[in-house]
Amino acid sequence: MLEKRGPFLYNFLFKSFAGLLSLIMLLVLLGIGVNMKMISPTVVADKGIELLSATFIFSVIVSLALYAVGCKSRKQSSSLKAHVTGNFIHDCWFGVQLNPHFIGVDLKFFFVRAGMMGWWFINLSVLAKSIQAGYVNISVILSQLFSALYILDYFFHEEFMTSTWDIIAERLGFMLVFGDLVFIPFTFSIQGWWLLKNKVILSKAAVITNCLVFLVGYCVFRGANKQKHIFKKNPKAPIWGKAPKVVGGKLLVSGYWGVSRHCNYLGDLLLALSFSLPCGASSPIPYFYPIYLLILLIWRERRDEERCSQKYKEVWVEYCKLVPWRILPYVY
């Protein structure tokens, strides 16, 4: 029995932590390169514009390649079936296939991993510039710490991604490719760049508030996604110590999902806000990410509501009566 379970356990652990292992390996190689003076710790920050331009061009090329290959696909599986509308701009933007692969690699997961790694590498490079400039205070530490914890948490719980909207509903086109390879690393790191050029002094109350926003956001975001993932794997698994309440045999109305229909979005928004709060309130520039995310998630929530309404019909109507709030209880 153990011999039979051995390969399965190995494959499960390897697939579940492949992204984390890749991240650790790259960090180790980066550390060795810096220690041996083969690479400057600020090289990413120093070449930011060049990297941004190259990554943007690469994302365009990849999107066009995905469109061309997808249009020729004759596969009928849900992941590889071609969804061609005939509108070139629409199909390039939203994508043609749900989960295209290249030499056995799931490109959707690959690009997300690359974007998250790129975000951290940019942050580390900007931090190195801050250290060289002799300017590292509590604002810089909080900004770096919160984003690092978020990135590490993503790789530790990457399995939960399999039940998120991006994976189960969005096809892989320029919108996701650009979002993963360009938008995530180069806009999520704006706070670090801002703090490099602007000295921000936070009061103790501001520091405590910032930490609370991060902790609450993390608990809601991770807790909600974990509950949904566990429910999809085992619909009878208890949630908050009780048997889950379900509508129509498919829609969860327990735990965080009994509070609002997209409670994970609320957690994500609070986390995004916590990344920007260390920058103070003197400018809206460091708040670009949470503002953008708010617009994106409301748009995505509307699309999801329409899709679920068509899919579940009267069951969705009943679900909305039991959980009337979309994202923030008593507000929206």
Side-chain angles (χ1 to χ4, degrees):
M1 179 65 73
L2 290 175
E3 292 179 355
K4 291 181 179 179
R5 291 180 62 185
F8 169 79
L9 182 61
Y10 171 80
N11 289 332
F12 172 77
L13 291 174
F14 180 78
K15 290 180 179 179
S16 298
F17 297 102
L20 180 61
L21 292 174
S22 299
L23 175 65
I24 293 173
M25 182 180 69
L26 288 174
L27 287 172
V28 170
L29 291 174
L30 179 62
I32 293 174
V34 170
N35 187 58
M36 297 180 66
K37 300 190 183 304
M38 298 172 62
I39 185 174
S40 168
T42 64
V43 63
V44 176
D46 293 336
K47 301 293 183 180
I49 299 299
E50 293 90 334
L51 287 171
L52 172 61
S53 302
T55 309
F56 174 77
I57 294 171
F58 178 73
S59 66
V60 172
I61 294 173
V62 168
S63 301
L64 291 173
L66 288 170
Y67 171 78
V69 173
C71 287
K72 294 180 181 179
S73 175
R74 296 295 179 265
K75 298 184 182 289
Q76 296 301 311
S77 66
S78 59
S79 294
L80 300 176
K81 183 178 180 180
H83 298 268
V84 182
T85 66
N87 185 321
F88 174 76
I89 295 178
H90 178 279
D91 292 340
C92 272
W93 178 265
F94 288 104
V96 175
Q97 294 176 299
L98 185 63
N99 286 95
H101 288 66
F102 179 70
I103 58 174
V105 176
D106 187 314
L107 292 179
K108 191 178 284 187
F109 269 104
F110 178 81
F111 291 145
V112 176
R113 286 172 177 171
M116 298 295 282
M117 291 179 187
W119 176 17
W120 202 3
F121 291 152
I122 291 175
N123 276 357
L124 290 175
S125 190
V126 172
L127 176 61
K129 287 184 75 72
S130 297
I131 294 173
Q132 286 183 357
Y135 169 54
V136 177
N137 63 3
I138 189 63
S139 297
V140 174
I141 293 172
L142 287 180
S143 178
Q144 290 283 340
L145 177 63
F146 292 156
S147 57
L149 289 174
Y150 181 85
I151 294 167
L152 281 172
D153 178 78
Y154 166 82
F155 284 103
F156 269 109
H157 299 100
E158 194 175 29
E159 183 188 0
F160 296 168
M161 275 289 291
T162 57
S163 56
T164 60
W165 171 270
D166 284 352
I167 300 299
I168 64 177
E170 296 280 23
R171 295 189 291 275
L172 187 60
F174 180 77
M175 182 178 72
L176 286 187
V177 174
F178 173 83
D180 292 338
L181 298 182
V182 181
F183 201 87
I184 287 178
F186 290 98
T187 63
F188 288 19
S189 56
I190 285 177
Q191 297 87 352
W193 288 104
W194 174 262
L195 290 172
L196 182 63
K197 302 294 183 180
N198 299 271
K199 189 174 183 179
V200 178
I201 306 299
L202 296 178
S203 65
K204 290 183 179 180
V207 171
I208 294 173
T209 300
N210 200 166
C211 292
L212 287 175
V213 171
F214 175 80
L215 290 173
V216 172
Y218 176 79
C219 289
V220 175
F221 175 75
R222 179 53 59 217
N225 284 329
K226 183 177 182 180
Q227 286 178 355
K228 180 171 67 172
H229 185 74
I230 291 176
F231 174 73
K232 287 181 177 293
K233 293 179 67 174
N234 180 13
K236 295 183 179 181
I239 293 179
W240 286 351
K242 299 179 180 179
K245 184 178 180 181
V246 183
V247 175
K250 296 181 179 180
L251 300 177
L252 179 64
V253 197
S254 293
Y256 289 106
W257 300 96
V259 177
S260 68
R261 302 198 291 272
H262 302 275
C263 48
N264 55 330
Y265 290 177
L266 175 60
D268 211 0
L269 288 168
L270 289 173
L271 285 171
L273 180 61
S274 74
F275 301 154
S276 300
L277 286 175
C279 299
S282 62
S283 171
I285 293 176
Y287 291 86
F288 173 79
Y289 171 39
I291 292 172
Y292 156 80
L293 188 64
L294 175 63
I295 297 171
L296 171 69
L297 292 182
I298 290 178
W299 176 59
R300 178 173 289 183
E301 170 265 321
R302 295 283 175 158
R303 292 170 58 205
D304 189 30
E305 293 270 328
E306 181 180 356
R307 172 176 167 270
C308 289
S309 178
Q310 295 174 355
K311 180 178 180 180
Y312 298 111
K313 297 181 171 45
E314 63 277 357
V315 174
W316 183 253
V317 175
E318 182 182 355
Y319 172 67
C320 290
K321 289 180 180 179
L322 291 172
V323 188
W325 306 107
R326 295 170 180 261
I327 298 177
L328 181 61
Y330 305 104
V331 176
Y332 176 73

